[in-house]
């Protein structure tokens, strides 16, 4: 079978898994975006607005 076009090269890297390169790129982007949203963005918010750790209170209302 002859090379039928550029799509064959794209599948070559992950072809053994049945995954094309565009699918790998999309999944990588989704994983990166999820990690940034769950980890980096809250840390950036806390640093920007100087969010302090909550203080534990005793039963009588005084700080522990």
């Amino acid at each position: 079978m002859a090379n039928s076009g550029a799509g064959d090269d794209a599948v070559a890297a992950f072809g053994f898994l049945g995954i094309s390169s565009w699918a790998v790129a999309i999944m990588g982007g989704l994983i990166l975006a999820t990690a940034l949203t769950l980890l980096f963005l809250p840390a950036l918010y806390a640093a920007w607005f100087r969010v302090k750790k909550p203080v534990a209170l005793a039963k009588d209302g005084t700080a522990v």
Side-chain angles (χ1 to χ4, degrees), residues 3 5-16 18-25:
N3 188 355
D8 292 335
D9 294 336
V11 176
F14 294 97
F16 66 95
I19 303 171
S20 63
S21 61
W22 63 267
V24 173

Side-chain angles (χ1 to χ4, degrees), residues 16 21 24 31 40 44-45 53 56 62-63:
F16 66 95
S21 61
V24 173
I31 291 169
F40 181 72
L44 185 66
Y45 177 88
K53 220 176 185 181
T62 60

